[in-house]
């Protein structure tokens, strides 16, 4: 029995802190403009829609859809379990917020475009990594 | 009016060093080999070279990703240049080519030595295996949004 290799963790800064740590409370944080409600991701305290500087983390529902995905079959590093799925998920609140992720709790061959998914977090050290799994209705 | 500076420039010589895994010569030595071959192929001498361009510039981190920059090669060949440039924020290797085109078009220089040195296959035997991060090192910058997801080779864009 081998353990999957440790994920490469992000350096957390003032802009990315909410995204990488609100999973502690089960929440997915995406920056949103306080003036016009436009979501800005990757997070930066500037709204490209209305020029506002008041853009702060907001807890979204954590639901979205698979926009596109790749099934990876090659074990690039020792003990990397394959196949696994890399995907871009659009959050349901705003379609142009695309979050890179792995699709989990799902056989890779069962992932399809537009599949409804919901966030789940994997804690590694002080980071809660957002992953997505199929929504079971 | 649109002006295509590249129409007024040409690649006049090429050179390539020995390519291997576990090189027996330094990255700088190999770069000198390729540079001298390119200069000779162009029918030029070292004294004719008045510009240098590379991508992404020197990274003295032991990874071998870009171990030789403009300064090291300029010094090794004792080149006297009017312009040089090496930086990562360019469209890859071609960034060095188009920086050189711009410099020539601007009249800053005439014969630019453009190079790219990679030593990763050797560095990972002598230094460390992962060419981008050391074990346990965290990812900074834009790629930090992808790094946690075993994003070794997938195309998601
Ligand atoms: Zn706004």
């Amino acid at each position: 029995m081998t353990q999957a290799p440790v994920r490469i963790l992000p350096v957390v800064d003032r802009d990315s802190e909410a995204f990488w740590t609100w999973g502690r409370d089960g929440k997915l944080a995406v920056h949103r403009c306080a003036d016009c409600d436009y979501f800005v991701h990757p997070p930066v305290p500037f709204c490209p829609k209305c020029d506002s500087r008041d853009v702060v983390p907001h807890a979204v529902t954590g639901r979205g859809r698979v926009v596109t995905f790749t099934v990876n079959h090659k074990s690039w590093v020792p003990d990397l379990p394959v196949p696994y799925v890399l995907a871009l998920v659009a959050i349901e609140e705003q379609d142009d917020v695309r979050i890179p992720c792995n699709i989990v709790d799902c056989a890779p061959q069962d992932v399809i475009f537009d599949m409804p998914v919901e966030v789940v977090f994997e804690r590694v050290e002080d980071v809660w990594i957002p992953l997505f799994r199929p929504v079971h209705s | 009016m649109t002006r295509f500076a590249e129409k007024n420039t040409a690649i006049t010589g090429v050179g390539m060093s020995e390519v291997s895994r576990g090189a027996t010569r330094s990255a700088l030595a190999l770069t000198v080999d390729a540079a001298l071959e390119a200069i000779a192929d162009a029918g030029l001498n070292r004294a004719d070279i008045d510009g240098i361009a590379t991508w992404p510039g020197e990274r003295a981190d032991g990874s071998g990703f870009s171990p030789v920059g403009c300064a090291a090669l300029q010094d090794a060949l004792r080149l006297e240049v009017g312009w040089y440039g090496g930086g990562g924020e360019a469209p890859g290797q071609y960034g060095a080519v188009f920086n050189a085109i711009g410099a020539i078009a601007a009249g800053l220089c005439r014969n630019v030595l453009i190079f790219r040195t990679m030593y990763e296959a050797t560095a990972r035997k002598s230094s460390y295996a992962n060419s981008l991060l050391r074990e346990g090192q965290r990812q900074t910058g834009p790629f930090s949004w992808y790094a946690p997801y075993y994003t070794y080779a997938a195309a998601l864009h």
Side-chain angles (χ1 to χ4, degrees):
Chain A
M1 173 89 188
T2 53
Q3 197 100 35
V6 174
R7 294 177 186 275
I8 295 170
L9 300 181
V11 169
V12 176
D13 66 16
R14 288 172 188 273
D15 290 339
S16 68
E17 182 181 4
F19 182 86
W20 294 119
T21 63
W22 281 20
R24 182 197 301 119
D25 303 316
K27 294 193 171 91
L28 179 63
V30 179
H31 271 51
R32 188 178 69 169
C33 176
D35 291 316
C36 78
D37 290 347
Y38 185 73
F39 285 93
V40 179
H41 188 80
V44 60
F46 174 74
C47 176
K49 285 283 187 207
C50 77
D51 287 17
S52 172
R53 309 302 295 263
D54 191 6
V55 180
V56 293
H58 176 83
V60 295
T61 60
R63 288 190 295 273
R65 68 178 181 96
V66 173
V67 174
T68 188
F69 65 99
T70 295
V71 180
N72 184 103
H73 292 275
K74 182 171 171 62
S75 191
W76 300 98
V77 295
D79 302 325
L80 181 61
V82 291
Y84 62 92
V85 177
L86 289 153
L88 284 182
V89 164
I91 64 172
E92 68 176 3
E93 288 85 354
Q94 186 175 305
D95 195 63
D96 69 1
V97 172
R98 305 280 168 92
I99 298 176
C101 62
N102 300 128
I103 304 297
V104 297
D105 298 341
C106 176
Q109 65 267 25
D110 292 340
V111 176
I112 56 173
F113 297 117
D114 290 328
M115 185 170 81
V117 290
E118 63 188 5
V119 73
V120 57
F121 295 94
E122 180 177 311
R123 184 187 177 178
V124 185
E125 299 177 14
D126 57 347
V127 171
W128 282 258
I129 298 170
L131 307 170
F132 287 83
R133 66 183 177 200
V135 175
H136 298 293
S137 50
Chain B
M1 282 295 292
T2 304
R3 191 168 63 93
F4 297 101
E6 65 269 28
K7 303 294 186 193
N8 297 320
T9 59
I11 296 172
T12 55
V14 294
M16 187 170 81
S17 75
E18 182 182 287
V19 176
S20 68
R21 293 176 177 168
T24 56
R25 308 179 61 225
S26 74
L28 181 56
L30 294 167
T31 308
V32 167
D33 287 350
L36 292 177
E37 189 174 299
I39 294 168
D41 189 46
L44 300 173
N45 297 305
R46 278 187 291 138
D48 297 318
I49 302 299
D50 56 0
I52 315 175
T54 190
W55 180 91
E58 182 187 297
R59 287 192 188 171
D61 58 5
S63 72
F65 185 69
S66 185
V68 179
C70 289
L73 185 60
Q74 179 186 4
D75 186 54
L77 298 181
R78 299 296 193 271
L79 302 175
E80 295 187 19
V81 300
W83 173 86
Y84 68 90
E89 289 199 326
Q93 285 84 343
Y94 278 107
V97 175
F98 278 87
N99 284 343
I101 289 168
I104 293 168
L108 302 176
C109 46
R110 178 171 170 79
N111 297 310
V112 181
L113 178 63
I114 303 169
F115 73 99
R116 164 86 171 114
T117 304
M118 288 170 291
Y119 208 57
E120 288 168 289
T122 297
R124 64 171 56 106
K125 291 171 186 277
S126 59
S127 182
Y128 57 96
N130 189 318
S131 65
L132 298 175
L133 291 177
R134 292 166 197 271
E135 191 171 342
Q137 185 181 347
R138 292 193 176 194
Q139 179 72 48
T140 59
F143 193 65
S144 67
W145 300 104
Y146 296 89
Y149 301 108
Y150 304 126
T151 316
Y152 295 100
L156 278 173
H157 299 286

